[in-house]
Amino acid sequence: MRRAYLDNNATTPLLPSVLEAMQPYFIEQFGNASSIHHHGQQTRAAVERARESVAALLGCRASEIVFTSGGTEADNLAIFGITRPGDHVITSSIEHHAVLNACKRLQEDAVGCDVTYVPVDGQALVSPDDVKRALRPNTRLISIMMANNETGVLQPVNEIGAIAAEADVYFHTDAVQAAGKAPIDVGQIRCDLLSISGHKIHAQQGIGALYVRKGTLLQPMLYGGRHERARRAGTENVAGIVGLGKAAELARAGFSNGEVERIRELRDRLERSITGTFDSVGVNSGSAPRVPNTSSIYFDCIEGEALVIALDLKGVAVSTGAACSSGAIEPSHVLTAMGLSPDRARASLRFSVGKQNTSEDVDLLLSILPETVARLRELSPVYNKAV
Ligand code: PLP
């Protein structure tokens, strides 16, 4: 059966050249990067080369990159590394759970911080004015994501960075879904901390990085050796780091070699075709600035889960605008925060394109979608009443 994987915001496949770059670091070059003999020197050099590549993707110095176990750890390190009891933090209602649940923990009595969750408008955009209005004398950190994982919406991080700089407040941005899709320049954003994750840019799962602006006082979360300049203890995941470095190079090249535009064209064709074919569909955040690979589309009167399963049976992998929590299907907090009804949020699907996708993948989706949507809508008493 032909298959098409269109769920690249969940994870991306390793690219062959990334695997090739990693391969020597499993067997031949196995040294601990902290060892002083030549085995250690070899892997230390590889780790530092990868650090340069990641820094080049973000527009910072290599010494400002801290390797982590992924986006979740990078977000947690930024949040818990900066805040102290009694601090106030500003974040948004549409952050990834790696930020939202870290902020919930901050609010617990044992930690003792206050958190303001700024709302979003109908396009899922945060207003910089709301962020400014939420500032308090004890605000220590603003954490607003660069690109949303469900809608792909790019937040006005440059404006928020300027507000944070003016107020002398730390600014963290979760750029896990922006890396490789939108140019990132930490100097322009004026952020102090920025998270990325390897497996969203065709590197391995379980590797990521946090940019920490020089001079930022960051309390580590892990205690042990003085790895990563005492910001993240633990023997480095050398192969993972090398893969992240290679993936960062490829992500950077994508902006000049036409790859990002090719992905945008695939996404735009998918979107145009779906909105032109079906009634009662629409693109969530369709008129907001978005990363070029993501499309969140509602198919009214269809249960998103059912559509995902039906498409999977025909070889196409996508995801829903819902998450399964405690056994129940909860509508996405992102889609409901932007004002979608729970039904429309549950009827939403996320399509996300990656570097490995071709035109044939989109063709496959578009060839099976009409019959699948029609069949599911036939079963819907609501749809039959609505039309
Ligand atoms: N932040 C965003 C916006 C994400 O989409 C994800 C992953 O889905 C994460 C953070 C967490 O990254 P990781 O899976 O590397 O822990």
Side-chain angles (χ1 to χ4, degrees), residues 38-266:
H38 89 277
H39 298 282
Q41 287 169 23
Q42 276 180 337
T43 47
R44 168 58 53 205
V47 165
E48 297 315 318
R49 279 196 301 275
R51 204 185 299 281
E52 294 280 352
S53 301
V54 173
L57 179 68
L58 308 182
C60 65
R61 298 183 184 94
S63 56
E64 295 173 312
I65 296 297
V66 178
F67 290 116
T68 65
S69 65
T72 300
E73 187 189 327
D75 285 344
N76 275 257
L77 180 55
I79 291 166
F80 294 111
I82 289 293
T83 51
R84 307 283 177 277
D87 285 343
H88 173 241
V89 173
I90 301 171
T91 188
S92 82
S93 53
I94 54 142
E95 298 298 310
H96 189 269
H97 283 110
V99 167
L100 281 182
N101 286 340
C103 286
K104 276 204 194 120
R105 170 67 184 155
L106 288 181
Q107 289 176 284
E108 288 175 12
D109 288 346
V111 187
C113 292
D114 245 353
V115 181
T116 301
Y117 299 86
V118 294
V120 291
D121 66 12
Q123 291 294 314
L125 277 163
V126 170
S127 150
D129 285 341
D130 284 345
V131 174
K132 195 169 187 170
R133 269 194 293 274
L135 285 167
R136 297 184 195 165
N138 63 335
T139 306
R140 187 161 172 90
L141 176 70
I142 298 171
S143 179
I144 305 281
M145 70 200 322
M146 186 164 172
N148 183 266
N149 41 304
E150 295 190 33
T151 59
V153 168
L154 282 160
Q155 297 299 336
V157 284
N158 292 357
E159 285 90 325
I160 297 168
I163 290 167
E166 196 186 321
D168 199 16
V169 166
Y170 287 111
F171 178 34
H172 164 246
T173 187
D174 175 339
V176 164
Q177 295 288 354
K181 301 169 189 169
I184 300 178
D185 179 344
V186 293
Q188 201 169 28
I189 301 171
R190 295 172 80 179
C191 57
D192 304 287
L193 304 130
L194 180 144
S195 311
I196 63 164
S197 170
H199 74 105
K200 311 292 186 179
I201 58 167
H202 301 275
Q204 199 192 357
Q205 294 166 354
I207 188 72
L210 180 66
Y211 154 75
V212 184
R213 181 190 292 281
K214 185 171 185 252
T216 304
L217 284 178
L218 190 81
Q219 191 69 23
M221 283 201 304
L222 301 178
Y223 290 86
R226 295 187 55 80
H227 308 88
E228 298 295 295
R229 294 171 176 244
R231 293 169 298 190
R232 202 275 186 183
T235 301
E236 291 89 343
N237 168 2
V238 176
I241 289 171
V242 169
L244 179 60
K246 182 68 189 176
E249 280 169 27
L250 297 172
R252 192 158 162 247
F255 295 107
S256 52
N257 65 11
E259 194 65 350
V260 172
E261 274 319 299
R262 187 185 70 83
I263 286 172
R264 183 191 297 279
E265 280 161 24
L266 290 180

